Each structure stands twice: as C-alpha cells, then as structure tokens.
Amino acid sequence: LHRVFVADTLNFSFWSDDESQKYRIKFNGKEYTGYWSWCAALNRALKNDVNITDANFYANITEKKLAEILKSDSDTPIPLLEERVAVLREAGKVLLEKYEGKFLNCVKACNKSAQSLLQLVVRDFPSYRDEADYQGKRVSFYKRAQILVADIWACFEGKSYGEFHDIDTITMFADYRIPQALYHFGALSYSEELKKYLKAEKMMQTGDRYEVEIRGCSIWATEMVAEKTRELIEKDSSLKDVLMNSILIDHYLWDFRRDHAEEMRDNIPFHHIRCIYY
C-alpha cells in the first residue's frame, strides 16, 4: 500500500524531448521506459534496501539521494528532479504530521469510499491538487489522486484495502497519452487549428485552453464509452458478471497506446506539457 502511494506521488512527466533519447532503467534483466522506468527504479531501490516507502525517509530526502535512486541507465535523466524532491518531501511531512507516517491511516479514515479517499488526498496533499481555471470556473481533474485510488483498488483486487463501494465514480486519468488513443478510435475529434498546434509540438502550460479542453473532453468521452459499454453488457446475459468502469477503459487505452506508439505518433502527437500533475 505504501509502495503504491509513493509510486503515484511521483507519477508524472515521463515523456522524452527526443524519442531516441529516453530515460531508461534496467532491472532484473529488462529495460524500462516511461512510467515503468519509475516503477523499475522504485523496485531497484527496494531491492537495495533503500527505505523509499518510509515517510520518515522521504520526508527529508535530499536531491542527491533521489537522483541516486532515479539514476538513469541511459544518458537522459528523469525530468523534473527538483519538483520530484519537493513533492516527495511534502507527502512525507503530511503523513508524519497528520497520519502517524502511514498512508494506511488515510485509507482507513475513508470507510471504503473512493470519493472520500480522493477528497482526503486532494485536501491534505497539495501536489495532488490538479486544478485549473477555465473561463472563470475552477476545473478539477485530480489525475494522480484518482489513479492512486484506482491503483489501490486494482492491486488489492477490490478487496481488503482496495474495497470501495463507489469505485465506479472514479473517472479516467486525464493525461497526455489517453487522448491519443481516444482520437485514434474516433471518440475525440480535433479542429484543424488544434492538430496544427499539436504537430508543431508547442509546449503548453497548466491551465491553457487547449490543455484543459483536451483533458476535459477525454474524461467525458471515456464516460460515454463506459455508459455505452454497460448498456451492451446489460443486453447480453452471458456478460452479466462482467465489470465495466472508466478505470478499466483507461487501462485498456493506455496499454493500447503504448503497444501502438509509432502509429499513434504518426496519427496525432500528444500535447506537450511539463508539470507535476501528469
């Protein structure tokens, strides 16, 4: 459980400026890139007896120590190292000050409610507060907070600490990869102006109009896919025990995008942004 919390606390910005020069981690005979490179680095640290999942350790972690833990096996370092240090320290200090140093106590406080855990994380851990202002209104995405809840649910297979009576209220995790897959399948369409912008690989900032609209429309498109899929399941008695929600659709789309990375890149680029939210 504490490993999942640390993994999702640093689950942001793994894309490479140059696709031929990626951040890579070799672990147990395999090479990993993207999000999996961070998981491999985390596993490598644990194998080397580094207390990376202990709040007492990471609440005071130095940039030098985190750089050592995240050391790349290529010439490309992990992006946003300074931000990762700050985010990890913040998370550790909140756990020590409010939850006796254990994320387990956050989960216990939520009485098997995914929404309660989501709100607790967003309230008490500022780096998870993934919000933007759009035309004078606050828009909340909470990508990492939602994926944290979903990862706990998935890791514990909906039992024990992963039992949430309202897990289907969690939406997809609005990032820079899922929109590519939604566009590929025709669930999203982009204006010619936006396509030109994306193909120019211009860097966006958090809260930019295009960024907010891509993420927001991705959430709504996935909700529509989930609703339609549930309707189809209800019509087929042989599928009565099949579980369907936006988390599972997100997992499928994320894996599909990764398996078809070149095709996706040629079809429509992802939106470029460097931030701690995704």
Side-chain angles (χ1 to χ4, degrees):
L1 184 62
H2 297 113
R3 180 192 177 283
V4 172
F5 177 68
V6 171
D8 284 325
T9 296
L10 295 190
N11 182 3
F12 56 84
S13 198
F14 297 106
W15 60 273
S16 304
D17 293 318
D18 183 344
E19 285 294 311
S20 66
Q21 301 292 325
K22 294 183 177 182
Y23 171 69
R24 299 176 186 274
I25 296 291
K26 295 177 182 176
F27 181 70
N28 283 352
K30 293 184 178 180
E31 189 173 78
Y32 300 88
T33 62
Y35 167 70
W36 295 122
S37 62
W38 157 227
C39 293
L42 177 57
N43 289 334
R44 181 178 65 186
L46 292 171
K47 186 177 181 180
N48 292 331
D49 296 323
V50 178
N51 295 324
I52 187 62
T53 58
D54 185 341
N56 289 286
F57 173 80
Y58 59 78
N60 298 292
I61 197 167
T62 64
E63 183 173 327
K64 180 180 179 181
K65 186 60 181 179
L66 187 58
E68 177 185 314
I69 291 169
L70 298 175
K71 187 178 185 304
S72 179
D73 288 309
S74 71
D75 293 330
T76 304
I78 195 166
L80 302 182
L81 178 62
E82 290 184 13
E83 289 82 354
R84 294 179 197 278
V85 174
V87 164
L88 203 50
R89 285 177 181 166
E90 174 191 272
K93 289 174 181 177
V94 170
L95 286 179
L96 292 173
E97 291 171 3
K98 294 189 175 184
Y99 297 102
E100 299 179 347
K102 299 180 184 294
F103 183 68
L104 168 63
N105 291 329
C106 299
V107 176
K108 287 182 175 179
C110 294
N111 298 314
K112 302 184 185 301
S113 168
Q115 284 300 315
S116 292
L117 182 55
L118 172 66
Q119 294 304 320
L120 179 152
V121 169
V122 169
R123 181 192 71 215
D124 290 346
F125 299 88
S127 76
Y128 280 86
R129 214 169 289 156
D130 177 10
E131 301 170 344
D133 180 84
Y134 182 74
Q135 296 183 355
K137 295 183 179 180
R138 189 183 72 175
V139 180
S140 306
F141 295 103
Y142 302 150
K143 183 263 184 179
R144 286 198 293 113
Q146 292 207 105
I147 204 170
L148 172 60
V149 176
D151 281 350
I152 295 169
W153 172 69
C155 287
F156 288 92
E157 298 181 333
K159 302 173 183 177
S160 181
Y161 300 129
E163 181 183 351
F164 299 107
H165 60 76
D166 54 350
I167 193 63
D168 289 351
T169 63
I170 298 297
T171 71
M172 62 81 74
F173 321 124
D175 66 357
Y176 49 83
R177 292 302 192 186
I178 300 300
Q180 284 183 292
L182 290 168
Y183 179 89
H184 172 82
F185 285 113
L188 281 183
S189 61
Y190 291 167
S191 68
E192 290 301 318
E193 177 187 343
L194 177 54
K195 284 190 282 187
K196 183 179 180 180
Y197 184 97
L198 293 174
K199 289 178 180 178
E201 297 186 348
K202 295 180 180 180
M203 187 70 76
M204 293 186 186
Q205 300 297 320
T206 298
D208 283 355
R209 175 194 157 198
Y210 281 153
E211 189 246 0
V212 173
E213 290 180 356
I214 289 172
R215 298 182 79 197
C217 289
S218 295
I219 292 173
W220 186 240
T222 304
E223 287 299 307
M224 293 177 70
V225 171
E227 181 179 351
K228 184 62 178 179
T229 305
R230 282 192 285 264
E231 289 177 4
L232 295 173
I233 289 172
E234 290 175 3
K235 293 177 181 178
D236 189 337
S237 59
S238 67
L239 302 176
K240 60 184 178 67
D241 295 324
V242 173
L243 176 65
M244 179 51 57
N245 58 34
S246 293
I247 297 171
L248 297 176
I249 294 172
D250 184 288
H251 287 173
Y252 172 80
L253 292 173
W254 193 85
D255 288 338
F256 183 92
R257 200 290 316 171
R258 193 171 178 84
D259 291 342
H260 299 81
E262 289 188 16
E263 181 182 353
M264 294 286 179
R265 187 166 57 248
D266 293 340
N267 192 13
I268 191 72
F270 65 91
H271 63 278
H272 288 62
I273 186 169
R274 288 283 184 212
C275 67
I276 65 170
Y277 301 119
Y278 64 103

